[in-house]
Amino acid sequence: MQSKELWERTCFPLRKHQKQHLPIQLDRQDHIVLYGAGYGGLMFLELLRRQSLEPECFLDSSPQKQGRTIMGVPVWAPGQIMVQNATVIVCLLEMDKVFQQVRTHLAELGCQAVYHMYELREIRTLFREQPLIIAPNRDLLWENRELLYQVAQMLEDELSKQTLTSILRFLWSDLSERIPALSIEDQYFASDVYSLGENEIFADCGAHVGEIFHQFLRRCCGQFDSYWAFEPDSQNIHKLKENCPPEYQQKLIIRHTALGDTPKIVRVRNYDGSNSIIREDGEEAVSCATLDSLAEELHPTILKIDVEGWESRLLDGAEMIIRRNKPIIAIAVYHREQDFWEIPLRLKGLVPDYRFYLRSYLNIAETVLYAVPPGRLKQEEHGV
């Protein structure tokens, strides 16, 4: 492991971040067009509306979305409307070759003002209530660099350390930093870290419509004890039930509930089926429970947690189950800056024997921390 001084210089190349010149300033006179009507675009739409800015439309390459109106905004195919005088903001979760292709295509259509939403991250007021880390709080990162270094020392392999370093460099100053990313199909199932047994009790906190359930079925070849699916959104619950193969219905335990630190009623907003988030102004009221309230029934061997920023609250209500069962934990750490240090340090306090691995599956978005107890690490299972 690098010395603290060298690690700090690597992750935070400039002691005091120098703000770059903003390419644009958004105002109500701009003809704003959003490219991408998925979760990133819908999230950004809400951020714009909080600043009293309204885009004219979405552009999206998906035929299933074209011609629709989503959250009050029409969706058109690229090239279907005139964009020469528009400011187009590309709402993809990665600044990769796809973004460059989009920018080139829009330039061919006559639009020169094309920006990725990450390029606007210096407009702090715009991202004040962001549900993903788009505009980082660099003061918070700098103030907690000692804790981040502790986490870096806890990480077990070089890929984990490199992933954390690249994430911090990207957040601190370098939009061109390439964060090591694995296939999205492997998310929560880091096959180089742990392997599935035949009697797993999988607790899926944030089950959505069952994508992870089906990934689990493929990987375990249908050999498992039970799969607990926790999901707060009623639309997703309906699809989750529909998507369950009949032969596994007895092993799939679906709970229509949010998970947090205390029993109460919360509200959930559905983003056109792409995501659901607990928000005070959400359209659906749903009960919230703690995992510990299910301790008599639930004895998880694997705990997957991706609850859109409520991860720390869920851990508040799951300490007993984690201490008792010591499950493999795969938890999202990309919704808040402090999750990069608070979550691993907290899990280490609950189960000191946990080994930690960090994996990214899509830039910062979809970054997962794995906490694995001794005996469940892949190399230890095979006596290595």
Side-chain angles (χ1 to χ4, degrees):
M1 182 67 192
Q2 294 175 317
S3 68
K4 178 180 174 297
E5 291 73 18
L6 180 57
W7 177 87
E8 192 174 287
R9 287 198 299 271
T10 302
C11 296
F12 308 103
L14 299 174
R15 279 293 178 93
K16 184 175 181 181
H17 173 72
Q18 297 177 358
K19 293 184 179 180
Q20 298 177 355
H21 177 69
L22 295 179
I24 59 172
Q25 291 284 357
L26 301 178
D27 59 50
R28 296 178 190 177
Q29 283 69 49
D30 288 329
H31 300 289
I32 299 174
V33 171
L34 302 184
Y35 189 103
Y39 175 57
L42 301 183
M43 172 201 73
F44 195 78
L45 169 63
E46 285 198 324
L47 296 176
L48 286 176
R49 285 175 169 170
R50 288 175 193 158
Q51 301 299 314
S52 300
L53 298 170
E54 186 69 18
E56 296 182 358
C57 67
F58 284 110
L59 299 179
D60 199 286
S61 59
S62 170
Q64 288 74 31
K65 294 181 180 180
Q66 294 164 8
R68 295 179 53 203
T69 296
I70 301 178
M71 291 179 63
V73 179
V75 183
W76 304 108
Q80 195 170 355
I81 65 166
M82 302 292 286
V83 293
Q84 285 88 339
N85 298 319
T87 296
V88 180
I89 301 169
V90 180
C91 300
L92 303 177
L93 295 179
E94 193 169 15
M95 282 185 66
D96 58 1
K97 61 182 180 181
V98 175
F99 165 63
Q100 298 301 333
Q101 290 168 357
V102 169
R103 173 177 270 173
T104 299
H105 178 57
L106 291 174
E108 291 171 350
L109 296 176
C111 180
Q112 299 303 314
V114 182
Y115 306 96
H116 194 283
M117 62 180 176
Y118 282 127
E119 294 179 294
L120 307 181
R121 66 184 187 176
E122 302 303 339
I123 311 177
R124 294 292 304 164
T125 55
L126 178 61
F127 294 95
R128 184 172 293 135
E129 297 181 46
Q130 61 188 356
L132 297 170
I133 309 173
I134 305 297
N137 184 335
R138 298 188 183 89
D139 290 338
L140 186 64
L141 292 173
W142 181 252
E143 290 164 5
N144 290 278
R145 63 193 184 279
E146 298 274 357
L147 297 178
L148 283 165
Y149 183 65
Q150 289 182 36
V151 172
Q153 291 178 302
M154 288 163 46
L155 296 175
E156 291 287 332
D157 67 352
E158 199 56 41
L159 178 56
S160 298
K161 299 177 191 296
Q162 182 184 356
T163 299
L164 179 60
T165 296
S166 295
I167 286 173
L168 292 176
R169 287 175 61 86
F170 177 86
L171 292 175
W172 188 251
S173 62
D174 191 358
L175 284 175
S176 65
E177 178 73 27
R178 303 315 303 159
I179 298 167
L182 306 176
S183 171
I184 194 69
E185 286 79 16
D186 295 330
Q187 190 178 19
Y188 314 115
F189 300 104
S191 58
D192 60 327
V193 175
Y194 77 95
S195 55
L196 295 175
E198 294 184 355
N199 298 296
E200 302 288 5
I201 301 172
F202 195 106
D204 187 348
C205 306
H208 198 231
V209 298
E211 309 98 316
I212 303 306
F213 177 48
H214 284 269
Q215 291 281 358
F216 175 77
L217 290 178
R218 283 193 287 273
R219 283 171 166 77
C220 71
C221 300
Q223 301 299 312
F224 65 102
D225 181 290
S226 57
Y227 192 103
W228 291 64
F230 297 93
E231 172 57 42
D233 190 296
S234 60
Q235 295 181 49
N236 293 340
I237 287 286
H238 179 71
K239 293 178 182 176
L240 180 59
K241 292 177 179 178
E242 283 188 335
N243 292 337
C244 178
E247 63 268 31
Y248 298 114
Q249 288 181 355
Q250 296 301 314
K251 290 186 175 184
L252 176 61
I253 303 164
I254 299 176
R255 294 296 177 91
H256 182 194
T257 183
L259 292 170
D261 55 345
T262 185
K264 57 184 175 182
I265 301 297
V266 297
R267 302 194 71 84
V268 177
R269 171 162 294 177
N270 184 296
Y271 289 82
D272 195 48
S274 62
N275 215 340
S276 297
I277 295 182
I278 297 173
R279 291 175 50 95
E280 291 182 359
D281 58 352
E283 60 269 14
E284 179 184 359
V286 64
S287 63
C288 179
T290 67
L291 275 180
D292 281 343
S293 68
L294 301 167
E296 292 186 8
E297 307 170 71
L298 178 60
H299 298 265
T301 61
I302 302 176
L303 188 57
K304 170 255 172 180
I305 305 171
D306 191 343
V307 287
E308 305 304 326
W310 272 55
E311 287 79 12
S312 288
R313 298 192 196 200
L314 188 151
L315 293 178
D316 284 341
E319 290 189 354
M320 181 171 60
I321 274 184
I322 292 172
R323 283 198 178 103
R324 182 192 68 190
N325 297 101
K326 299 178 176 58
I328 294 170
I329 296 178
I331 183 168
V333 288
Y334 57 89
H335 297 104
R336 308 183 312 152
E337 293 93 338
Q338 56 265 46
D339 288 346
F340 282 110
W341 62 87
E342 288 183 355
I343 287 177
L345 292 172
R346 182 168 190 179
L347 291 176
K348 184 71 171 177
L350 292 175
V351 181
D353 289 338
Y354 269 149
R355 311 284 182 83
F356 295 93
Y357 297 81
L358 191 67
R359 298 289 187 265
S360 170
Y361 299 93
L362 182 66
N363 201 12
I364 290 178
E366 314 304 337
T367 300
V368 174
L369 176 76
Y370 295 91
V372 186
R376 289 304 310 264
L377 289 169
K378 190 160 189 177
Q379 60 268 32
E380 293 183 3
E381 290 176 344
H382 296 286
V384 178

